Amino acid sequence: MTDTKSRKYDAVIFGATGFTGQYIATEWARTAKKDLRWAIAGRSLSKLEAVQSQVRATTAYEKDIPIIVADVFNESAMRSMCASTRLLINCTGPFRLFGEPVVQACVAEGTHYVDITGEPQFIETMILRYNEDAITSGSLIVHSCGFDSIPSDMGVVYTSKQFPNNGVCSSIETFISLQGNSGHATTYECIVLGLASAKSLKTLRSTSRVEIPYVGPKLKVHSVGFDKRMNKYYIKFLGSDASVVRLTQKHLVLAKSPVQPVQFSVYVTFESILRFIPIFFGALFLLTFGYFEWGRNLLIKYPAIFTFGWFSHEGPSQEEIENSGFSHQFFAKGYKDKNNTEGNPDWEVVAKVQGPEPGYLATSSMIVNCAYVILDGEVKERGVMTPGAAFRSTSLIDRLQNRGIHFTVSTNQSIEEQSTKQDDSN
Ligand SMILES: NC(=O)c1ccc[n+]([C@@H]2O[C@H](COP(=O)([O-])OP(=O)(O)OC[C@H]3O[C@@H](n4cnc5c(N)ncnc54)[C@H](OP(=O)(O)O)[C@@H]3O)[C@@H](O)[C@H]2O)c1
């Protein structure tokens, strides 16, 4: 175990010059406790100086913001950056291209680490390669601490905790609704590269399979459909959420936790069937061109053309960001008595997580609060893990509630009671 208390910084924000990194540095300057010592880092001094001035101007932050210059591919710079801090916030992506040297250096130096990756292959590879070493060196590495995949993963934690004391959650269906949806080109690049390597992810998973002892009927996962409860069309969400939530359930099993693992599915909803058309053609472009290297280069070079303006090199404007938001609706089924899980579920919980613009506002709030939880010593476990595994028993949800990311419950009752109410109202 490395003792990191006497290090120069409590936190370093690496990749602070990126579109998202700048939001994260600003959120940190606005909300961090006054006594936290922190720095911004990246590969370009001039860009970092510009971020430093901009953060100070927009937040009226009065103290100095130190700068560390480090390139991902310079091992000694990585090691010395990671050795200077108790925790590193990584915003350099695509993570499949730039993430591993950062994780490796943090693990080697016993430094805690959080990131905003939404790339399952990267996350699953890091768990396989670095979990044991991270436990030995005393570092806690938590992936996916942004919109990918805090709402889903912590939403599952929150929803399953609503079941009666002696009860248990069996499955959760989740529906994501987005108001306004544009993003910066790098996120789209991650999607293109991720879809192109779907086969190797399958191979990777076949080497690390763990039997998860779910209870209740097997949850059916659909590709597309119409959900009456949401009154909306939906398609299966191809982001990292399902993978991250599954990794959290796997962690519960491997850690021999008494918490019951939960089956999970996640969909994106649409108000009208017309919204399907651009999605359909966008997906078609990705799947056909994305298969070939020349096609991927083309897709990545012209994001705005191939996504009908959803992703661009300029990223969303301030106005677009202010007019956006997200909500995740969780429909959970389970049992009021964990010792009686034969037959159909008899208990239902409906919960929601909602917040501001997901990719940059909510993401920056989520990751800095994950960092505060770790710096305050709330997580005792070490290793490479997902948010639901690391933050299950911490104050993260309360902290997020205070920052405008709301977790609420609308239904918590026996399924019998629910159908009686419905019969009465008909
Ligand atoms: N979880 C979420 O919901 C969420 C939300 C937003 C973004 N993200 C992810 O966050 C990542 C960044 O997205 P973004 O839009 O902010 O991208 P971006 O603007 O392109 O930023 C990328 C950052 O990586 C840095 N970088 C690139 N190569 C480097 C190297 N060799 N050494 C050191 N730094 C290097 C860049 O530095 P320069 O400025 O010097 O080029 C920049 O700071 C992506 O993977 C994206 O998918 C996730």
Side-chain angles (χ1 to χ4, degrees):
M1 286 272 178
T2 322
D3 182 10
T4 62
K5 285 215 173 69
S6 57
R7 289 189 174 174
K8 190 168 181 190
Y9 303 114
D10 294 299
V12 166
I13 302 171
F14 181 52
T17 56
F19 193 86
T20 322
Q22 296 184 43
Y23 276 91
I24 293 171
T26 306
E27 180 68 7
W28 185 279
R30 273 203 189 109
T31 63
K33 283 187 203 154
K34 295 263 178 301
D35 59 346
L36 286 177
R37 302 149 303 151
W38 62 288
I40 52 173
R43 60 179 167 175
S44 156
L45 176 62
S46 58
K47 281 190 186 179
L48 286 163
E49 284 170 343
V51 172
Q52 186 188 48
S53 312
Q54 187 213 316
V55 169
R56 293 187 68 170
T58 51
T59 62
Y61 187 81
E62 284 170 357
K63 285 197 206 160
D64 183 31
I65 305 175
I67 283 175
I68 299 171
V69 178
D71 190 295
V72 156
F73 300 112
N74 179 335
E75 196 187 334
S76 69
M78 281 294 106
R79 288 290 291 264
S80 106
M81 172 176 72
C82 295
S84 72
T85 182
R86 291 170 59 210
L87 177 142
L88 187 113
I89 297 180
N90 189 10
C91 338
T92 58
F95 287 83
R96 69 173 58 243
L97 305 181
F98 308 131
E100 183 162 358
V102 192
V103 171
Q104 194 173 34
C106 281
V107 169
E109 297 296 343
T111 304
H112 300 322
Y113 164 107
V114 285
D115 72 24
I116 48 169
T117 182
E119 298 165 61
Q121 188 161 12
F122 169 69
I123 303 165
E124 296 181 31
T125 306
M126 294 305 99
I127 292 176
L128 278 178
R129 290 196 185 149
Y130 297 101
N131 185 47
E132 292 304 320
D133 289 348
I135 293 171
T136 309
S137 74
S139 80
L140 172 65
I141 308 287
V142 192
H143 297 296
S144 295
C145 296
F147 179 67
D148 297 321
S149 296
I150 290 275
S152 282
D153 208 18
M154 293 309 292
V156 166
V157 169
Y158 175 81
T159 307
S160 52
K161 279 186 178 177
Q162 307 306 316
F163 276 74
N165 259 347
N166 199 37
V168 72
C169 179
S170 160
S171 67
I172 301 183
E173 290 182 291
T174 305
F175 293 88
I176 302 177
S177 303
L178 298 167
Q179 298 88 50
N181 46 3
S182 44
H184 183 246
T186 307
T187 292
Y188 166 73
E189 184 179 348
C190 297
I191 298 170
V192 173
L193 297 176
L195 287 176
S197 64
K199 244 188 193 165
S200 51
L201 179 56
K202 232 177 174 179
T203 314
L204 177 74
R205 283 180 179 159
S206 67
T207 62
S208 59
R209 195 155 281 145
V210 166
E211 203 55 51
I212 303 179
Y214 296 119
V215 294
K218 189 171 187 317
L219 179 67
K220 283 191 192 127
V221 180
H222 310 280
S223 300
V224 290
F226 180 82
D227 187 82
K228 282 192 191 148
R229 298 163 298 185
M230 294 294 295
N231 196 26
K232 283 179 180 174
Y233 293 93
Y234 64 79
I235 58 169
K236 187 173 154 187
F237 182 51
L238 294 178
S240 59
D241 290 15
S243 161
V244 169
V245 173
R246 195 173 45 246
L247 288 169
T248 298
Q249 311 316 303
K250 192 169 152 183
H251 182 91
L252 293 174
V253 177
L254 295 174
K256 299 193 171 42
S257 161
V259 176
Q260 171 60 48
V262 175
Q263 303 176 76
F264 176 76
S265 62
V266 57
Y267 305 95
V268 185
T269 63
F270 300 93
E271 300 291 342
S272 108
I273 196 124
L274 288 178
R275 295 281 289 161
F276 267 129
I277 296 168
I279 297 278
F280 176 79
F281 281 106
L284 206 65
F285 283 138
L286 283 182
L287 292 171
T288 45
F289 289 167
Y291 188 72
F292 307 99
E293 197 182 343
W294 61 266
R296 285 196 290 282
N297 293 339
L298 204 64
L299 288 167
I300 289 167
K301 194 164 179 194
Y302 302 106
I305 293 177
F306 290 106
T307 65
F308 307 96
W310 286 353
F311 291 98
S312 65
H313 289 294
E314 298 73 39
S317 65
Q318 197 52 39
E319 197 188 341
E320 283 172 311
I321 285 186
E322 277 161 18
N323 292 321
S324 300
F326 75 91
S327 78
H328 284 44
Q329 183 93 32
F330 300 86
F331 294 98
K333 285 187 176 153
Y335 300 88
K336 56 179 174 282
D337 179 358
K338 67 176 176 225
N339 299 314
N340 189 4
T341 58
E342 294 299 314
N344 286 332
D346 56 22
W347 199 269
E348 180 181 45
V349 173
V350 180
K352 197 182 232 184
V353 179
Q354 61 188 331
E357 188 284 327
Y360 308 101
L361 293 185
T363 288
S364 48
S365 202
M366 289 170 194
I367 194 163
V368 302
N369 280 288
C370 290
Y372 299 153
V373 165
I374 297 174
L375 289 172
D376 282 347
E378 290 189 42
V379 188
K380 302 291 173 231
E381 213 175 334
R382 299 291 178 255
V384 184
M385 57 189 89
T386 48
F391 303 124
R392 161 174 297 277
S393 309
T394 68
S395 63
L396 179 64
I397 291 175
D398 293 338
R399 292 180 192 236
L400 293 176
Q401 301 263 32
N402 291 333
R403 298 297 303 163
I405 295 163
H406 299 295
F407 290 67
T408 49
V409 185
S410 58
T411 301
N412 192 352
Q413 61 191 4
S414 88
I415 287 175
E416 209 179 314
E417 203 179 306
Q418 166 81 336
S419 22
T420 318
K421 272 189 195 161
Q422 265 167 7
D423 289 347
D424 288 350
S425 66
N426 286 337

